[in-house]
Amino acid sequence: MGTRWTCHGPSLFVLFCYGQLLPWLRTEGDQNLDKFYNETMAKMFLQFYEHTAQVVWNQFMEATWNYVTNITKKNREEMLHKDSERSQHMPYFGTWARLFKISRFQDPDMKRMLSKLQNIDKAVTPAAQYNMLLAYMETTYSMAQVCLNEGPCLPLEPDLEEVMATSRDEKELLWAWQGWQDAVGHQLCITFKCYVQLSNRTAKLNGYKDMGQLYQELQPLYLNLHTYMCRALHRHYGSELINLRGSIPAHLLRNMWAQFWVNILDLVLPFPKKPLEDITKIMKSQHWKPSKMFERAEKFFTSLGLLSTPPNFWKTSMMEKPTDGREVECHASAWDFYDGKDVRVKKCTEVTIEDLLSIFHQMGHIQYFLQYKNLSVIFCAGANPAFEEAVGSMVTLSASSHKYLLNRGLLSHQHQDSEEEVNFLMGIALEKIAFIPFAYLMDLFRWKVFDGTIQKDVYNQEWWNLRWGGQLPLSWCPPPVPRTEDYFDPGAKFHISASVPYIRYFISLVLQFQFHDALASGHVGPLHRCDSYNSKIAEKLLEDVLKLGSSKPWPEVLQKITGQTKVSAKALMTYFKPLLDWLVTENVRQGEILGWPDFSCTFEEKDTDKVTFLSLELDADQAKFGQWVLLALSFVMFLVNTKAQNTGSQDSSALKTQPRAYFLGIAMEPCLVAKRQWILLGLCLILTLRSISLIIQILTQHNRKPLWMRAEWWSWD
């Protein structure tokens, strides 16, 4: 079944000669082609591809790892060089593969391998420029920072994300949200347009169908959740910020991209008198370390009878943010180095329950890598990209269950009553269900860009039209401040800047519950209480599926684990049924209207207490005080000027008898010298004011305020 070849295969000289024959063979008749491009030659060709692909991909992954864990110019150049080799390797073998008429072959695995190679993108991309643009966009994202008015500049992870997660101050949330959108989006505004021109892509669903049907299945849960959230946030922020019949401003959801809402759980908890236990606090009190978090995740997989990670994994992975001054890319990811033994995880781990579940997810990827390591490089991937994401996410459903956390010593309450279960499910829903529209809209935007539906001069406008414009039944999230085409807000998300497809996350959101339901076949009770830890049923199902890699069509693989050939939201709706029942009852009791009937897609300037003073936005009191200071300075200047004139008139007779004066070394009448000195003084004053304005401009462009613009400078305390 497409196993990875270990024999040496044909000599490079033979393969070189074979390559030289290709141009001639393409021009000969079908008879010669049929004789030469047979299954024996196909096997020889695939062996050659296997050997070269292992080397090319391994070197590319190693160079990329070196760069993202130590962002330097040298490492970037090496990564671009290896990426260039990879970019040449793939279409080269894709061209060869298309010479074989696989419809006449008997071996199904060989036909599938050749078919995958034949489907390698045929578009000719100027690889060097394209790869440099991608590297620039990814580096821009990784190194972007937002500067405080006074103090250091903050990176996204962990600082800005912590501000968004923990702050209750609407102005501070707005500062962090807008600062990050501006810091990344402004730099990528032009670059992304060049990237689109070079990418030469087409919009494809990659085999995923029935997207509309899934939306219809999920819509009741999402709309009831959104409606309840509006009411709960209205109680906290008031009608000034929350319209009960409208959308929720993005920054108030306390996530940089408003894709997860779990950080506002304390504000929207259905039963506030029964709050969830603070698992992060418990972890810290128990002195958890990042290494322990990874060990717990691995132990979960080994309890299912799956493979342990190789010893080298613990030496080569980046489990914490380095403290040696290196610039790194903190976005969590799992890495396969295509040699059957080297797998790694990159993550700037913090001791939180969110990061613990993220590690479980990444270790799901690692388990997939380990299971299909003996397959051909061609099949070293999930059945489809969503499968890889769903496996790790499925495990997090068990790892976040009350039973699992209780047995790990991370909960103290032995049982959950019905109200506590609704609170628990609300926490899961704010992470999973809130993610639905964002996961779909990310790639919907890119598809429309690549097929030309969205033009380059309205990228930002159309991004917010999709997120907020009511074009989908699940649009929901307006920007808190007006946005313009001077920025590229989609680039504030890593997957846009790094060109990572996103529809996999939408599909995996549904798949993970299908998988969880399949592994719960022996479970008695509600689906949300199921914990697959140490499950023998899970062991057999997962092992058989993960070992297949992408060697079989994904509907066939899905059937092996779930008994179904289609993605279905039924298991997801079953999981959240207690919460949905409660939400419907609560919304009916409040007389709520589902959705956002008062929707408005215009960027209106909000009323503000700020006033303009010397082209600066200041509080009214600060501007008033500044105006009085300017008036006082003007009065002092007037007095000085009057005094100088009086002194000059008193000494006029004496000046008549004085010798000629000098100005810049030139002899002239004293009155002329005085005039030119005043002119020079005026020029100096103009230059001084211009210098001050330039300093203000430079500081404000870096999100800093000069000392005299800060509140404490003008306060009397």
Side-chain angles (χ1 to χ4, degrees), residues 122-321:
K122 303 181 181 68
V124 179
T125 299
Q129 298 178 44
Y130 178 79
N131 294 336
M132 287 180 67
L133 278 178
L134 278 183
Y136 173 79
M137 290 196 298
E138 192 169 343
T139 302
T140 299
Y141 181 95
S142 300
M143 300 185 69
Q145 294 182 331
V146 178
C147 298
L148 294 166
N149 290 339
E150 47 187 74
C153 296
L154 304 181
L156 176 66
E157 296 185 44
D159 299 320
L160 288 176
E161 288 192 345
E162 183 177 356
V163 171
M164 293 295 294
T166 60
S167 177
R168 299 294 184 271
D169 184 343
E170 186 270 336
K171 292 183 179 179
E172 186 176 26
L173 291 171
L174 178 58
W175 168 81
W177 186 92
Q178 185 175 3
W180 178 252
Q181 310 292 320
D182 292 354
V184 180
H186 186 64
Q187 295 186 67
L188 296 184
C189 188
I190 297 177
T191 308
F192 186 80
K193 296 175 183 178
C194 298
Y195 155 76
V196 172
Q197 292 176 347
L198 291 176
S199 62
N200 194 22
R201 294 188 176 185
T202 56
K204 297 180 181 179
L205 281 171
N206 295 323
Y208 300 125
K209 298 179 180 179
D210 303 322
M211 302 285 286
Q213 180 181 346
L214 285 178
Y215 259 123
Q216 291 299 319
E217 292 180 47
L218 296 170
Q219 188 173 356
L221 180 54
Y222 180 86
L223 289 179
N224 274 281
L225 178 65
H226 181 279
T227 301
Y228 169 76
M229 294 278 292
C230 265
R231 170 67 63 179
L233 290 176
H234 182 270
R235 285 197 297 266
H236 182 76
Y237 289 109
S239 57
E240 182 180 348
L241 294 174
I242 298 294
N243 179 1
L244 287 174
R245 296 165 58 88
S247 300
I248 304 173
H251 68 305
L252 298 184
L253 296 167
R254 299 228 301 262
N255 174 268
M256 190 61 76
W257 310 277
Q259 67 183 75
F260 302 127
W261 303 350
V262 71
N263 290 325
I264 59 172
L265 178 60
D266 59 321
L267 302 181
V268 302
L269 206 62
F271 300 99
K273 294 182 179 180
K274 297 183 178 180
L276 301 178
E277 292 188 72
D278 190 339
I279 300 176
T280 294
K281 185 177 180 180
I282 295 173
M283 291 173 65
K284 292 180 177 179
S285 69
Q286 295 177 359
H287 306 292
W288 280 57
K289 301 293 182 185
S291 57
K292 181 178 180 179
M293 297 163 71
F294 278 89
E295 290 165 1
R296 286 290 189 185
E298 183 189 37
K299 191 172 182 180
F300 189 101
F301 285 98
T302 56
S303 80
L304 304 179
L306 300 178
L307 299 174
S308 300
T309 52
N312 200 46
F313 168 83
W314 303 95
K315 299 178 182 178
T316 55
S317 292
M318 189 189 87
M319 300 180 182
E320 299 181 66
K321 188 171 185 177

Side-chain angles (χ1 to χ4, degrees), residues 49-83:
Y49 173 80
E50 186 73 19
H51 285 290
T52 57
Q54 286 183 34
V55 173
V56 170
W57 278 90
N58 177 264
Q59 291 180 353
F60 167 68
M61 296 302 290
E62 192 69 54
T64 305
W65 174 270
N66 292 339
Y67 174 66
V68 298
T69 58
N70 186 15
I71 299 176
T72 65
K73 182 178 180 181
K74 178 182 178 182
N75 286 344
R76 183 181 67 177
E77 291 174 351
E78 179 64 18
M79 179 190 69
L80 291 174
H81 173 66
K82 294 301 180 183
D83 198 12

